[in-house]
Amino acid sequence: EVSEDMFLREVLPLRHLDEPIDDWRPAFYEKLAPLVQGKRSLREMAEAVIPAVFNGGLGKKLVFKPNNTPQIMAPESETLVKGYASCTGLSIILADALRSVGVPARVV
């Protein structure tokens, strides 16, 4: 269970840094929610979601490609279209994927 304070800080927001805002939540939820059904902990949910994001669970396999910040940061319109991002872009899409299924996440 996630406290209301944590939900408002680490699940609800659409933006982490200064990335362009995409309407990622509905599409990410639709694709990832089946993976977390029946999971008993936030950790189990994260362990199901994170590999799926890299392996095409959002519609395209993703790979790390350095030196792409700030060019590739928006989760749907940039990272998924290109299929790659640097550490910042991948951190954003992973945190967004986790947030879409109710797992608190932030980019640090």
Side-chain angles (χ1 to χ4, degrees):
E1 187 170 306
V2 176
S3 70
E4 181 180 2
D5 182 54
M6 184 174 286
F7 177 81
L8 294 174
R9 271 193 342 254
E10 310 297 346
V11 176
L12 189 60
L14 292 174
R15 177 183 266 169
H16 300 274
L17 306 168
D18 61 348
E19 72 272 18
I21 295 178
D22 285 339
D23 187 20
W24 51 264
R25 195 177 308 264
F28 286 18
Y29 178 81
E30 181 181 329
K31 292 174 182 166
L32 299 173
L35 301 177
V36 301
Q37 281 191 322
K39 302 297 185 218
R40 295 181 179 201
S41 69
L42 295 174
R43 181 183 180 130
E44 287 180 358
M45 294 169 74
E47 288 172 345
V49 168
I50 292 170
V53 170
F54 282 103
N55 294 321
L58 294 175
K60 190 173 211 172
K61 280 187 132 187
L62 299 176
V63 296
F64 171 74
K65 193 171 179 182
N67 302 317
N68 282 286
T69 302
Q71 297 90 350
I72 310 289
M73 287 178 44
E76 278 192 305
S77 65
E78 295 172 351
T79 304
L80 285 177
V81 169
K82 300 281 187 184
Y84 63 86
S86 62
C87 52
T88 304
L90 291 176
S91 296
I92 290 168
I93 199 166
L94 284 172
D96 287 346
L98 291 167
R99 284 180 173 184
S100 76
V101 293
V103 176
R106 63 187 173 121
V107 175
V108 281

